[in-house]
PDB file of all heavy atoms in Angstrom:
ATOM      1  N   MET U1333     -30.106  -5.469  67.980  1.00 95.00           N
ATOM      2  CA  MET U1333     -28.699  -5.100  67.896  1.00 95.00           C
ATOM      3  C   MET U1333     -28.551  -3.622  67.543  1.00 95.00           C
ATOM      4  O   MET U1333     -29.372  -3.043  66.822  1.00 95.00           O
ATOM      5  CB  MET U1333     -28.026  -5.971  66.824  1.00 95.00           C
ATOM      6  CG  MET U1333     -26.535  -5.843  66.694  1.00 95.00           C
ATOM      7  SD  MET U1333     -25.898  -6.922  65.367  1.00 95.00           S
ATOM      8  CE  MET U1333     -26.430  -8.544  65.923  1.00 95.00           C
ATOM      9  N   PHE U1334     -27.482  -3.023  68.082  1.00 96.00           N
ATOM     10  CA  PHE U1334     -27.045  -1.686  67.702  1.00 96.00           C
ATOM     11  C   PHE U1334     -25.715  -1.841  66.958  1.00 96.00           C
ATOM     12  O   PHE U1334     -24.763  -2.389  67.510  1.00 96.00           O
ATOM     13  CB  PHE U1334     -26.872  -0.793  68.936  1.00 96.00           C
ATOM     14  CG  PHE U1334     -28.113  -0.651  69.761  1.00 96.00           C
ATOM     15  CD1 PHE U1334     -28.389  -1.564  70.775  1.00 96.00           C
ATOM     16  CD2 PHE U1334     -29.008   0.377  69.532  1.00 96.00           C
ATOM     17  CE1 PHE U1334     -29.536  -1.448  71.546  1.00 96.00           C
ATOM     18  CE2 PHE U1334     -30.149   0.501  70.294  1.00 96.00           C
ATOM     19  CZ  PHE U1334     -30.425  -0.410  71.298  1.00 96.00           C
ATOM     20  N   ARG U1335     -25.661  -1.334  65.737  1.00 96.00           N
ATOM     21  CA  ARG U1335     -24.497  -1.551  64.878  1.00 96.00           C
ATOM     22  C   ARG U1335     -24.068  -0.231  64.258  1.00 96.00           C
ATOM     23  O   ARG U1335     -24.907   0.547  63.788  1.00 96.00           O
ATOM     24  CB  ARG U1335     -24.863  -2.563  63.794  1.00 96.00           C
ATOM     25  CG  ARG U1335     -23.791  -2.846  62.754  1.00 96.00           C
ATOM     26  CD  ARG U1335     -24.369  -3.785  61.723  1.00 96.00           C
ATOM     27  NE  ARG U1335     -23.479  -4.085  60.636  1.00 96.00           N
ATOM     28  CZ  ARG U1335     -23.842  -4.771  59.535  1.00 96.00           C
ATOM     29  NH1 ARG U1335     -25.078  -5.226  59.434  1.00 96.00           N
ATOM     30  NH2 ARG U1335     -22.988  -4.997  58.569  1.00 96.00           N
ATOM     31  N   ALA U1336     -22.771   0.026  64.263  1.00 96.00           N
ATOM     32  CA  ALA U1336     -22.228   1.272  63.717  1.00 96.00           C
ATOM     33  C   ALA U1336     -21.053   0.952  62.805  1.00 96.00           C
ATOM     34  O   ALA U1336     -20.224   0.093  63.121  1.00 96.00           O
ATOM     35  CB  ALA U1336     -21.786   2.215  64.829  1.00 96.00           C
ATOM     36  N   THR U1337     -20.978   1.664  61.678  1.00 95.00           N
ATOM     37  CA  THR U1337     -19.888   1.512  60.731  1.00 95.00           C
ATOM     38  C   THR U1337     -19.323   2.890  60.411  1.00 95.00           C
ATOM     39  O   THR U1337     -20.079   3.789  59.999  1.00 95.00           O
ATOM     40  CB  THR U1337     -20.361   0.834  59.432  1.00 95.00           C
ATOM     41  OG1 THR U1337     -20.950  -0.423  59.749  1.00 95.00           O
ATOM     42  CG2 THR U1337     -19.188   0.610  58.490  1.00 95.00           C
ATOM     43  N   LEU U1338     -18.025   3.050  60.596  1.00 95.00           N
ATOM     44  CA  LEU U1338     -17.335   4.308  60.318  1.00 95.00           C
ATOM     45  C   LEU U1338     -16.371   4.084  59.166  1.00 95.00           C
ATOM     46  O   LEU U1338     -15.424   3.293  59.275  1.00 95.00           O
ATOM     47  CB  LEU U1338     -16.571   4.785  61.564  1.00 95.00           C
ATOM     48  CG  LEU U1338     -15.747   6.061  61.397  1.00 95.00           C
ATOM     49  CD1 LEU U1338     -16.658   7.248  61.076  1.00 95.00           C
ATOM     50  CD2 LEU U1338     -14.924   6.337  62.651  1.00 95.00           C
ATOM     51  N   ASN U1339     -16.608   4.762  58.044  1.00 93.00           N
ATOM     52  CA  ASN U1339     -15.733   4.661  56.885  1.00 93.00           C
ATOM     53  C   ASN U1339     -14.499   5.529  57.092  1.00 93.00           C
ATOM     54  O   ASN U1339     -14.610   6.719  57.406  1.00 93.00           O
ATOM     55  CB  ASN U1339     -16.479   5.097  55.617  1.00 93.00           C
ATOM     56  CG  ASN U1339     -17.624   4.162  55.275  1.00 93.00           C
ATOM     57  OD1 ASN U1339     -17.487   2.947  55.341  1.00 93.00           O
ATOM     58  ND2 ASN U1339     -18.779   4.727  54.938  1.00 93.00           N
ATOM     59  N   LEU U1340     -13.318   4.932  56.941  1.00 94.00           N
ATOM     60  CA  LEU U1340     -12.048   5.618  57.183  1.00 94.00           C
ATOM     61  C   LEU U1340     -11.462   6.135  55.869  1.00 94.00           C
ATOM     62  O   LEU U1340     -11.766   5.615  54.788  1.00 94.00           O
ATOM     63  CB  LEU U1340     -11.070   4.663  57.858  1.00 94.00           C
ATOM     64  CG  LEU U1340     -11.543   4.056  59.186  1.00 94.00           C
ATOM     65  CD1 LEU U1340     -10.520   3.072  59.714  1.00 94.00           C
ATOM     66  CD2 LEU U1340     -11.828   5.142  60.217  1.00 94.00           C
ATOM     67  N   PRO U1341     -10.584   7.145  55.957  1.00 92.00           N
ATOM     68  CA  PRO U1341      -9.979   7.684  54.724  1.00 92.00           C
ATOM     69  C   PRO U1341      -9.075   6.650  54.050  1.00 92.00           C
ATOM     70  O   PRO U1341      -8.461   5.800  54.702  1.00 92.00           O
ATOM     71  CB  PRO U1341      -9.171   8.893  55.226  1.00 92.00           C
ATOM     72  CG  PRO U1341      -9.721   9.210  56.573  1.00 92.00           C
ATOM     73  CD  PRO U1341     -10.197   7.917  57.149  1.00 92.00           C
ATOM     74  N   ASP U1342      -9.003   6.745  52.724  1.00 92.00           N
ATOM     75  CA  ASP U1342      -8.100   5.886  51.958  1.00 92.00           C
ATOM     76  C   ASP U1342      -6.658   6.375  52.102  1.00 92.00           C
ATOM     77  O   ASP U1342      -6.394   7.559  52.356  1.00 92.00           O
ATOM     78  CB  ASP U1342      -8.485   5.884  50.483  1.00 92.00           C
ATOM     79  CG  ASP U1342      -9.826   5.215  50.235  1.00 92.00           C
ATOM     80  OD1 ASP U1342     -10.201   4.351  51.044  1.00 92.00           O
ATOM     81  OD2 ASP U1342     -10.490   5.563  49.240  1.00 92.00           O
ATOM     82  N   LEU U1343      -5.729   5.432  51.947  1.00 92.00           N
ATOM     83  CA  LEU U1343      -4.299   5.738  51.975  1.00 92.00           C
ATOM     84  C   LEU U1343      -3.692   5.251  50.661  1.00 92.00           C
ATOM     85  O   LEU U1343      -3.049   4.205  50.610  1.00 92.00           O
ATOM     86  CB  LEU U1343      -3.633   5.062  53.176  1.00 92.00           C
ATOM     87  CG  LEU U1343      -4.186   5.433  54.562  1.00 92.00           C
ATOM     88  CD1 LEU U1343      -3.558   4.573  55.643  1.00 92.00           C
ATOM     89  CD2 LEU U1343      -3.950   6.917  54.848  1.00 92.00           C
ATOM     90  N   PRO U1344      -3.886   5.983  49.583  1.00 91.00           N
ATOM     91  CA  PRO U1344      -3.417   5.507  48.277  1.00 91.00           C
ATOM     92  C   PRO U1344      -1.906   5.376  48.184  1.00 91.00           C
ATOM     93  O   PRO U1344      -1.410   4.556  47.408  1.00 91.00           O
ATOM     94  CB  PRO U1344      -3.950   6.575  47.316  1.00 91.00           C
ATOM     95  CG  PRO U1344      -4.188   7.786  48.164  1.00 91.00           C
ATOM     96  CD  PRO U1344      -4.571   7.279  49.502  1.00 91.00           C
ATOM     97  N   GLU U1345      -1.170   6.134  48.985  1.00 92.00           N
ATOM     98  CA  GLU U1345       0.287   6.009  48.929  1.00 92.00           C
ATOM     99  C   GLU U1345       0.770   4.660  49.441  1.00 92.00           C
ATOM    100  O   GLU U1345       1.880   4.212  49.122  1.00 92.00           O
ATOM    101  CB  GLU U1345       0.951   7.136  49.720  1.00 92.00           C
ATOM    102  CG  GLU U1345       0.662   7.148  51.222  1.00 92.00           C
ATOM    103  CD  GLU U1345      -0.633   7.867  51.573  1.00 92.00           C
ATOM    104  OE1 GLU U1345      -1.438   8.112  50.654  1.00 92.00           O
ATOM    105  OE2 GLU U1345      -0.831   8.180  52.758  1.00 92.00           O
ATOM    106  N   TRP U1346      -0.059   3.987  50.258  1.00 92.00           N
ATOM    107  CA  TRP U1346       0.258   2.640  50.757  1.00 92.00           C
ATOM    108  C   TRP U1346      -0.626   1.567  50.113  1.00 92.00           C
ATOM    109  O   TRP U1346      -0.634   0.430  50.566  1.00 92.00           O
ATOM    110  CB  TRP U1346       0.094   2.577  52.269  1.00 92.00           C
ATOM    111  CG  TRP U1346       1.115   3.390  53.013  1.00 92.00           C
ATOM    112  CD1 TRP U1346       2.252   3.946  52.510  1.00 92.00           C
ATOM    113  CD2 TRP U1346       1.067   3.737  54.404  1.00 92.00           C
ATOM    114  NE1 TRP U1346       2.934   4.622  53.483  1.00 92.00           N
ATOM    115  CE2 TRP U1346       2.237   4.513  54.665  1.00 92.00           C
ATOM    116  CE3 TRP U1346       0.193   3.494  55.451  1.00 92.00           C
ATOM    117  CZ2 TRP U1346       2.528   5.035  55.929  1.00 92.00           C
ATOM    118  CZ3 TRP U1346       0.469   3.997  56.700  1.00 92.00           C
ATOM    119  CH2 TRP U1346       1.627   4.762  56.939  1.00 92.00           C
ATOM    120  N   ASP U1347      -1.390   1.926  49.121  1.00 92.00           N
ATOM    121  CA  ASP U1347      -2.318   1.010  48.447  1.00 92.00           C
ATOM    122  C   ASP U1347      -3.378   0.460  49.390  1.00 92.00           C
ATOM    123  O   ASP U1347      -3.875  -0.656  49.206  1.00 92.00           O
ATOM    124  CB  ASP U1347      -1.556  -0.161  47.788  1.00 92.00           C
ATOM    125  CG  ASP U1347      -0.676   0.290  46.634  1.00 92.00           C
ATOM    126  OD1 ASP U1347      -1.032   1.294  45.984  1.00 92.00           O
ATOM    127  OD2 ASP U1347       0.364  -0.350  46.398  1.00 92.00           O
ATOM    128  N   VAL U1348      -3.758   1.234  50.409  1.00 93.00           N
ATOM    129  CA  VAL U1348      -4.793   0.834  51.368  1.00 93.00           C
ATOM    130  C   VAL U1348      -6.075   1.590  51.042  1.00 93.00           C
ATOM    131  O   VAL U1348      -6.108   2.829  51.098  1.00 93.00           O
ATOM    132  CB  VAL U1348      -4.350   1.110  52.813  1.00 93.00           C
ATOM    133  CG1 VAL U1348      -5.485   0.774  53.790  1.00 93.00           C
ATOM    134  CG2 VAL U1348      -3.113   0.306  53.161  1.00 93.00           C
TER     135      VAL U1348
END
Side-chain angles (χ1 to χ4, degrees):
M1333 187 181 301
F1334 302 88
R1335 176 184 177 188
T1337 303
L1338 177 63
N1339 295 316
L1340 302 177
D1342 293 333
L1343 302 173
E1345 63 275 15
W1346 292 348
D1347 293 330
V1348 176

